[in-house]
Amino acid sequence: MSHYEETLSEAKQQELLEKYDPEAGTRKLKGLPLWIAFAGLLAFSLFHLYTGIFGMLTAQLQRSIHLGFALALIFLLFPARKKNRGKEIKVAWYDIILAIVSVIVGAYWPVMIDDLVLRTGNVTGMDFFVGLSAILLVLEATRRTVGLPITIIAIVFMIYAVFGPYMPGAIAHRGLELDRLVQTMFFTTEGILGTPIGVSSTFIFLFLLFGSFLIKTGVGEYFNDLSIAIAGRSVGGPAKVAVFSSALQGTISGSSVANVVTSGAFTIPMMKNLGYKKEFAGAVEASSSTGGQLMPPVMGAAAFLMVEFIGGGISYWEIAKAAAIPAVLYFTGIWIMTHFEAKRIGLRGLTKEEMPSRKEVLGKLYLLLPIIAIVLLLMSGMSVIRAALWSIVITVVVSAIRKETRIGFKGIVEALVDGARSALGVAAATAAAGIIVGVVTKTGLGLKMANGLLDIAGGALLPTLFLTMIASLILGMGSPTTANYVITSTIAAPAIILLGVPDLSAHLFVFYFGIVADITPPVALAAFAAAAISGGEPFKTGVESTKLAISAFIIPYMFVLSPELLMIDTTWTYLIWVVFTAFIGMIAISAGVIGFWMRKLNWIERIASLGAGLCLIYPESISDIVGLVLFVILLALQYFYKRGHIPKVQN
């Protein structure tokens, strides 16, 4: 723990998580239900460790068992009503029934697999009942863990599947009978048991488990101390600590809100005490924490889905490697803006007394070894599953170096339980996303929507990208990134690909804007959580967050127009040039947005700075030259103004 002690209590952090993160809104159990839930969560993790070590089961078995575990545990842990979250209440009788039916649904494939394989395509009365139950259970579990938006979208898609003949114009189709819909949703790998939950039941679960073990070692707290040691003494140090700490937290956390609460509980009070406005302090943390899902090596859960959705033998490491430069540019943009804001209002860094002991911080550098290890393992070509398993082992071994970080048997059990708990929301979201993908596949809606999007945009790339951005932001408001990515990657991404954009660029484009939705008003959950900590006005915090994260609205356009940023078909010489121009473009845009560089900027200089930044970011020779000329002129003016060689222009 650093010397700067003013943080939120764990109880307050949990309260905020329950309020702003639906996946954290469990009831408090006691007695027999508590032990049943505990045993269920432990068994859930042990099942995935077993299949990870000894080999995955066939797709239907692996996915249905994963689904059964998740559904049963959701109905035990998550109350039907939002107002009961975090309260010590009994498990309702209907939740017990739903949990039992969930176990039956999850066990149906393993028990009946021989019969189901023999009668492929034919649905018996029992099959229909189990399949329909699975659909209804998934919808209710998704509502409880993730929220209404994705649940409603899944229901609308199923209505569209059944009533296709009555739909207008180009989106009309032959329609699916109810029994055919149920058969597709649960008895094929094109619906609930499709690719999304397939990824959840393999890669995602083990990486969440890895993150849970890392947290048990105290690495999250160490990230705060390491960030203070690196940036605490600089101008506006606490804000830079928030940026750096959240970037590190993002390597182990796939949730924007969870990142805000855990990291922000420490950084936001520091920023406020040193003079940052409430809204700005909350915005720094919200924008930084949201970017955590973009930061390799462990990105948001949707990045694992990308491996399957893009196909063509692409590995997770290739996606993580491609996302590295954009992620660094994103955090660089926020870092520069916080620096200019601190200079503008004259904020100091932390004093020596407020800093942690450098010796203690350096003495715990070994805690970073598991993160370094997983990068090296992925780089070596090891499978994602094996890399995650070995990283968990390395985490346990590394934790034993010192007594204060040692996990021990009890800690291992707790990490297994916590990891399984964190996977419940993802399992529900991916199951619901499977419903959407199943409908899109069966009705051909994806191609129809892609062509419709191209028609509206007139077949031009930039308008198509803009419309895709809007769709991703709207879908992302209150929905998990995973579900958002599934929808946009099956409907919007194909439109971009049809215009000749590389698959990876198109998929990362929708991935980015699905994540940025967490800080985009009017529904900006990460910003609202940060505002609850800072005491600022939520909507204003969302606006400030969007302003600070302006780079996130520009970078996706950059790597679509210039795939070299993703290290696609490029040379090191050109890559260095593109990164250099993008970096100084970020400086110019940050100065224009904040209104300060070496001194306060007037409105003409702010416009010129924004123009220079956009020219430098746009990957084209003439625009680079124009941007560089403008940048050098502005830099020279700033320098001479500061030296007093030129009279300062009044605003």
Side-chain angles (χ1 to χ4, degrees):
M1 186 69 182
S2 80
H3 290 199
Y4 205 99
E5 297 289 347
E6 187 177 343
T7 60
L8 262 66
S9 66
E10 288 187 13
K12 181 62 177 177
Q13 291 180 41
Q14 184 59 35
E15 181 186 329
L16 291 176
L17 274 173
E18 290 166 359
K19 183 175 181 180
Y20 294 104
D21 186 357
E23 295 178 34
T26 58
R27 57 162 66 94
K28 292 179 181 177
L29 298 176
K30 61 179 181 178
L32 183 61
L34 174 63
W35 285 106
I36 292 173
F38 178 85
L41 289 167
L42 183 60
F44 197 16
S45 283
L46 291 175
F47 164 73
H48 283 284
L49 284 177
Y50 177 83
T51 55
I53 295 168
F54 297 105
M56 297 294 166
L57 307 178
T58 59
Q60 289 93 336
L61 296 184
Q62 182 78 23
R63 297 170 188 183
S64 62
I65 293 172
H66 177 78
L67 178 69
F69 263 117
L71 291 177
L73 289 165
I74 285 168
F75 291 119
L76 284 177
L77 291 168
F78 290 81
R81 295 182 181 182
K82 191 174 181 179
K83 67 178 184 179
N84 290 330
R85 289 178 180 175
K87 294 181 179 179
E88 192 175 285
I89 57 171
K90 291 183 179 179
V91 180
W93 62 268
Y94 51 81
D95 283 337
I96 296 172
I97 293 173
L98 290 174
I100 293 170
V101 175
S102 297
V103 172
I104 294 170
V105 166
Y108 197 71
W109 261 103
V111 172
M112 302 291 292
I113 186 166
D114 292 335
D115 289 341
L116 291 172
V117 170
L118 285 174
R119 62 170 184 267
T120 300
N122 296 317
V123 178
T124 65
M126 179 59 73
D127 292 345
F128 180 82
F129 173 77
V130 172
L132 184 61
S133 298
I135 294 171
L136 296 175
L137 289 169
V138 165
L139 292 173
E140 173 60 10
T142 304
R143 183 191 70 81
R144 293 190 186 194
T145 56
V146 182
L148 271 176
I150 183 62
T151 310
I152 293 171
I153 292 170
I155 292 170
V156 168
F157 269 72
M158 284 194 293
I159 292 171
Y160 169 75
V162 174
F163 294 96
Y166 307 102
M167 295 295 163
I171 65 169
H173 63 94
R174 293 176 58 186
L176 295 175
E177 297 291 336
L178 188 58
D179 60 344
R180 181 79 184 280
L181 178 66
V182 170
Q183 190 260 338
T184 299
M185 287 300 128
F186 192 67
F187 296 101
T188 71
T189 53
E190 295 178 345
I192 290 172
L193 302 181
T195 298
I197 203 168
V199 177
S200 172
S201 66
T202 52
F203 312 140
I204 294 176
F205 191 99
L206 291 174
F207 267 81
L208 289 172
L209 213 52
F210 170 54
S212 179
F213 273 87
L214 277 177
I215 290 168
K216 278 295 171 186
T217 67
V219 72
E221 188 178 286
Y222 177 65
F223 283 158
N224 289 333
D225 284 350
L226 180 62
S227 301
I228 293 174
I230 292 172
R233 296 295 297 273
S234 62
V235 174
K240 294 174 182 175
V241 168
V243 176
F244 195 77
S245 175
S246 295
L248 290 172
Q249 289 279 4
T251 63
I252 62 172
S253 169
S255 168
S256 301
V257 174
N259 200 352
V260 165
V261 173
T262 53
S263 180
F266 179 77
T267 59
I268 290 175
M270 275 202 307
M271 285 187 273
K272 285 173 60 183
N273 282 347
L274 288 185
Y276 279 105
K277 290 182 180 178
K278 296 175 182 178
E279 287 78 15
F280 190 86
V284 170
E285 183 57 53
S287 56
S288 302
S289 292
T290 298
Q293 292 190 65
L294 308 171
M295 179 60 72
V298 185
M299 299 164 66
F304 295 95
L305 286 170
M306 211 178 291
V307 176
E308 302 296 324
F309 277 46
I310 294 177
I314 192 170
S315 67
Y316 174 75
W317 171 246
E318 289 176 89
I319 292 171
K321 183 179 71 173
I325 292 174
V328 170
L329 287 174
Y330 175 87
F331 282 102
T332 299
I334 299 174
W335 181 286
I336 294 168
M337 284 201 203
T338 57
H339 176 77
F340 285 158
E341 176 69 10
K343 294 284 285 184
R344 187 181 71 83
I345 58 179
L347 296 183
R348 65 172 177 87
L350 295 175
T351 63
K352 187 176 181 180
E353 290 71 29
E354 293 168 333
M355 295 284 288
S357 165
R358 191 174 294 272
K359 183 179 179 181
E360 286 183 17
V361 172
L362 294 176
K364 290 185 180 180
L365 271 174
Y366 66 89
L367 288 173
L368 300 181
L369 287 174
I371 297 173
I372 296 169
I374 201 166
V375 173
L376 295 176
L377 291 172
L378 290 169
M379 285 177 66
S380 72
M382 183 179 285
S383 71
V384 175
I385 290 172
R386 288 288 168 189
L389 288 170
W390 276 113
S391 298
I392 291 170
V393 173
I394 292 168
T395 303
V396 175
V397 172
V398 165
S399 76
I401 293 175
R402 285 191 176 187
K403 185 177 179 180
E404 62 264 30
T405 60
R406 194 169 299 147
I407 296 177
F409 178 76
K410 181 182 177 183
I412 290 172
V413 172
E414 289 175 349
L416 290 171
V417 170
D418 291 345
R421 191 191 302 269
S422 68
L424 297 179
V426 176
T430 50
I435 292 174
I436 296 164
V437 174
V439 171
V440 169
T441 304
K442 280 295 179 184
T443 62
L445 180 63
L447 186 58
K448 293 174 185 176
M449 293 294 286
N451 288 329
L453 195 61
L454 286 175
D455 288 340
I456 295 171
L461 180 58
L462 284 176
T464 303
L465 292 175
F466 179 77
L467 291 173
T468 303
M469 176 188 76
I470 298 300
S472 300
L473 289 173
I474 292 172
L475 286 168
M477 291 179 182
S479 295
T481 309
T482 309
N484 183 333
Y485 168 72
V486 168
I487 299 168
T488 52
S489 65
T490 52
I491 292 175
I496 305 174
I497 294 169
L498 286 172
L499 293 173
V501 174
D503 289 12
L504 184 53
S505 297
H507 281 262
L508 277 174
F509 184 88
V510 298
F511 176 67
Y512 252 72
F513 285 113
I515 288 171
V516 173
D518 280 347
I519 51 171
T520 306
V523 182
L525 294 181
F528 292 172
I533 299 172
S534 70
E537 203 280 313
F539 188 83
K540 286 182 181 178
T541 303
V543 172
E544 286 286 343
S545 300
T546 303
K547 185 174 77 173
L548 284 173
I550 192 69
S551 56
F553 291 86
I554 299 171
I555 290 169
Y557 288 89
M558 289 168 57
F559 59 63
V560 166
L561 297 172
S562 181
E564 291 83 4
L565 271 176
L566 303 179
M567 292 183 261
I568 298 175
D569 299 329
T570 187
T571 62
W572 280 107
T573 306
Y574 186 69
L575 179 63
I576 290 169
W577 174 252
V578 170
V579 172
F580 169 72
T581 55
F583 176 75
I584 61 175
M586 287 295 179
I587 294 174
I589 285 177
S590 299
V593 170
I594 297 297
F596 190 93
W597 201 333
M598 295 180 187
R599 62 164 187 81
K600 191 174 182 181
L601 303 182
N602 60 47
W603 66 270
I604 296 175
E605 291 170 316
R606 293 183 73 168
I607 292 172
S609 293
L610 291 170
L614 291 172
C615 285
L616 285 162
I617 284 170
Y618 186 77
E620 202 268 329
S621 299
I622 296 175
S623 67
D624 283 347
I625 292 169
V626 172
L628 278 171
V629 170
L630 268 173
F631 184 87
V632 170
I633 291 171
L634 287 164
L635 187 60
L637 285 172
Q638 289 290 301
Y639 177 78
F640 288 121
Y641 280 141
K642 189 175 181 181
R643 290 292 184 118
H645 297 311
I646 298 176
K648 294 184 179 181
V649 179
Q650 296 299 316
N651 287 289

